[in-house]
Amino acid sequence: MKDKKEDKALRELFQDKLGKAEVIPSPSVSKALMRKLALRRFLHFNATSFNVWYAGGIVIAGSLVAVILSSDPGKNEQTKQAPVSTEFNTPLVNEAVKEETTKSSAGNDAEGETVYEAHRDKKSGAEITSDKGAAHIQDDQKKSTLTSVDIPDISEEGLIMEDKTGRNNLKVAVKQSDNLIAASVTEGCAPLKVIFKSIIPPQDSCRWTFGDGGYSTDRNTEWLYDIEGEYNVTLIVFTAGGNKISSSTDILVHPKPVARFEITPEDAILPHDEIIFMNYSTNAVKYKWDFGDGTMSELFEPRHVYSKYGDYNVQLIAFSEYGCTDSLVILNAFSGSAYSITFPNAFIPNPNGPSGGYYSPRSDESAFVFHPVYSGVAEYQLRIFSRLGILIFESNDINIGWDGYYKGALSEPGVYIWKVRGKYMSGEPFTKMGDVTLLKN
Amino acid sequence: MMSDQQIIEGCARNERKAQQELYRRYSHFLLGVCLRYASDKAEAEDILQDSFLKIFFNIKDYSGTGSFIGWLRKIAVNTAITHYHKYLKFRYYVEIEEFVSVESGISSFEEDLFTSDELFRVLNELPAGYRMVFNLYAVEGYKHKEIARMLGIDTNTSKSQYSRAKAAIREKLEKLRKLKGNYPASNQ
């Protein structure tokens, strides 16, 4: 009851206070909204909204492409010769473009020309301005290195009038240049960290794209390539004068080899077993092994015999064809002694008669024989007593266990005591005792 | 002075002036709606902007029946839900264990104890999931079944999120009340 009342009170509080609450948006919201609206309209081209802006844009873009195509050789030369490292702000290229454009548009139809003239009139005041939005359109639509795009200025028709800051005409030229990037390395092994420095005047801004989807707008930056490949790094400089200069360099990242190995057999009995090092390395052409006991090898899959257990650190260094390396160390590889002996605590003798106690893991699937699971046993004596203390079985051969028969007769079900003593291969002695329950089938 | 009907027709013809007027007239109200669904004003303004884009592009679909302001609000709420799903992966989820349930014994709130600014802040600080469900249920008045469908969650999840949201809100309100030195009579 109380809960419902509380619930209602809370709902009413928020409904009353916030249901019709008004909050004043920042002025930037409406501006951004109108920009988006205009851009969407522009991109979502349709015939009903076709207007003078489209006509102008198409005419200028078209004529510019024509200019580039027709005057290709001379143009290229001019572009290359344009000073790039010291005089970014000189709008040399842009001037050229403007002139060319004027010339060629003279040949176009009347409508296009008037539109273009209108542009020019406005442009006389503000030379060339760059805008992120415009640059974006330009990137998407045109891939050529020298392009010019006009987009309609939304401020004129925007919801909230923007102050006229000379953004009436957007014009962007991209120029290719090669000496603006200083990279700390241009080739190396993955993961490769490269420090990039841009040689640009302080008043210019820039944008790096690293060729793997990453980008940065810092003047000097660093990037980590962790996947091999050839990456084309591009630096676009937005000069204070409104120019766009791009510069690029290639970074070659070599694959990193991967060092992997396994030690077999897993529970090796030392020094009895020869150890095989299984090599699963990839991207590698050369190997260096350190077995940790002072011996080395350069084989692909070496074999090694250790004289005794110890805290050996086995290391593999894998080298790729480019000299990239990777290493893997297995610490304390043979520290834990693999010597052991354990006994079960129950067994069911074969009711059909004595077997003599010989067994193997395969023949004794039904556990007819009482025997240990062991490794590294050198000497062995097993004795089994009844509860009255009578010795009923003795074996000095680890391969012979107790079949549950005493003097040819099946022993009574019940608890029997076993005692074992012997030596491991290392010379370490062992003694153990316990009980085992003989079960009836 | 344009009527709503004139504005709608103007917007349908993509007239800048009508859009301008629509924005001027309703952006304050709609930002209030958006702010309930956001963790701060900047996020609310993002939602507002997307809402207006939707409104301008879909105004032809407004049938003319039902209240226009209700239609606008619905678009804002739907945009907020889209926004919530889109940025879901950037949010972390706060479990109920963090909230100690408060025995408040409140059955009514003094009218002017909390300002709407404070209530906005209470909502803004809620985990996004709680905020969505609380707004949709308590303020918008949707049923848990509808909320479950809108958010793509289970009906029971909606219910439990709501009660957790309430517990969290109550705790925040209680703290606020104490901060203001205004203890409810029932607590003495």
Side-chain angles (χ1 to χ4, degrees), chain A residues 6-7 15 24 26 41 159, chain B residues 14 20 45 106 138 162 166:
Chain A
E6 274 191 48
D7 184 79
Q15 276 170 8
I24 298 167
S26 333
R41 284 236 170 75
L159 287 177
Chain B
N14 268 336
Q20 220 167 324
E45 287 179 342
I106 311 169
Y162 176 63
K166 273 199 302 189

Side-chain angles (χ1 to χ4, degrees), chain A residues 390-421:
Chain A
I390 300 165
L391 177 70
I392 52 173
F393 178 77
E394 186 170 3
S395 167
N396 291 322
D397 185 345
I398 199 160
N399 295 313
I400 297 177
W402 184 36
D403 59 9
Y405 284 78
Y406 177 53
K407 289 182 177 170
L410 184 58
S411 300
E412 283 299 308
V415 176
Y416 294 81
I417 310 299
W418 57 265
K419 227 176 162 177
V420 68
R421 64 181 184 197

Side-chain angles (χ1 to χ4, degrees), chain A residues 65-109:
Chain A
V65 169
V67 167
I68 293 162
L69 292 179
S70 61
S71 63
D72 218 345
K75 194 90 210 152
N76 276 353
E77 220 172 86
Q78 194 181 4
T79 311
K80 275 179 194 153
Q81 282 167 358
V84 281
S85 52
T86 53
E87 294 173 274
F88 296 114
N89 298 330
T90 317
L92 258 186
V93 177
N94 274 53
E95 293 292 351
V97 172
K98 211 159 59 182
E99 277 166 29
E100 296 277 1
T101 317
T102 321
K103 237 189 282 170
S104 72
S105 66
N108 279 316
D109 62 346

Side-chain angles (χ1 to χ4, degrees), chain A residues 223-236:
Chain A
W223 195 250
L224 188 72
Y225 293 96
D226 37 29
I227 299 169
E228 75 258 24
E230 213 177 327
Y231 298 94
N232 184 259
V233 178
T234 311
L235 170 69
I236 297 173

Side-chain angles (χ1 to χ4, degrees), chain A residues 144-372:
Chain A
S144 59
T145 50
L146 191 60
T147 327
S148 171
V149 175
D150 274 33
I151 69 161
D153 180 23
I154 50 95
S155 69
E156 279 190 325
E157 291 181 278
L159 287 177
I160 301 224
M161 290 299 188
E162 265 181 64
D163 50 341
K164 307 260 182 200
T165 50
R167 287 187 161 200
N168 287 339
N169 210 298
L170 296 163
K171 193 149 205 182
V172 183
V174 180
K175 195 161 52 156
Q176 202 80 38
S177 170
D178 287 312
N179 52 358
L180 301 177
I181 299 177
S184 59
V185 283
T186 54
E187 189 178 343
C189 305
L192 181 67
K193 183 169 133 182
V194 188
I195 298 165
F196 293 103
K197 291 199 163 142
S198 59
I199 310 158
I200 58 172
Q203 67 269 23
D204 295 350
S205 60
C206 66
R207 180 184 162 99
W208 297 87
T209 48
F210 298 110
D212 61 352
Y215 65 91
S216 166
T217 52
D218 294 339
R219 306 173 64 77
N220 297 319
T221 183
E222 59 180 56
W223 195 250
L224 188 72
Y225 293 96
D226 37 29
I227 299 169
E228 75 258 24
E230 213 177 327
Y231 298 94
N232 184 259
V233 178
T234 311
L235 170 69
I236 297 173
V237 180
F238 305 97
T239 69
N243 281 5
K244 231 176 128 186
I245 300 164
S246 96
S247 180
S248 70
T249 187
D250 287 332
I251 301 290
L252 186 59
V253 182
H254 297 304
K256 186 186 162 78
V258 180
R260 288 280 176 278
F261 68 95
E262 252 180 28
I263 295 171
T264 53
E266 238 172 90
D267 296 311
I269 308 304
L270 301 187
H272 180 262
D273 291 343
E274 185 185 41
I275 308 300
I276 304 167
F277 297 93
M278 309 288 271
N279 193 337
Y280 302 124
S281 303
T282 50
N283 276 336
V285 292
K286 199 178 128 194
Y287 308 92
K288 269 190 183 165
W289 295 87
D290 183 341
F291 299 125
D293 61 350
T295 55
M296 316 275 223
S297 172
E298 291 198 359
L299 296 173
F300 175 66
E301 262 182 5
R303 290 159 178 254
H304 187 60
V305 176
Y306 287 92
S307 56
K308 57 176 198 275
Y309 284 97
D311 293 339
Y312 304 122
N313 297 337
V314 183
Q315 185 190 39
L316 167 65
I317 306 172
F319 298 81
S320 79
E321 55 186 316
Y322 306 104
C324 303
T325 61
D326 185 35
S327 73
L328 177 68
V329 182
I330 294 183
L331 296 171
N332 306 329
F334 301 98
S335 59
S337 162
Y339 303 146
S340 71
I341 183 160
T342 43
F343 288 86
N345 60 5
F347 77 113
I348 306 166
N350 188 342
N352 301 326
S355 66
Y358 285 99
Y359 71 93
S360 73
R362 234 180 356 173
S363 72
D364 197 35
E365 271 172 4
S366 36
F368 286 151
V369 177
F370 173 72
H371 65 84

Side-chain angles (χ1 to χ4, degrees), chain B residues 80-127:
Chain B
I81 292 173
T82 314
H83 193 86
Y84 164 71
H85 279 142
K86 203 161 138 197
Y87 295 97
L88 198 58
K89 54 174 178 269
F90 300 123
R91 300 185 191 277
Y92 63 94
Y93 187 78
V94 184
E95 264 305 323
I96 185 64
E97 278 72 38
E98 287 193 21
F99 299 109
V100 185
S101 77
V102 180
E103 284 297 321
S104 66
I106 311 169
S107 53
S108 69
F109 294 95
E110 294 82 345
E111 244 317 277
D112 294 316
L113 186 52
F114 304 110
T115 66
S116 43
D117 260 10
E118 284 164 344
L119 295 181
F120 269 129
R121 213 167 314 130
V122 164
L123 288 181
N124 294 157
E125 284 167 3
L126 279 186

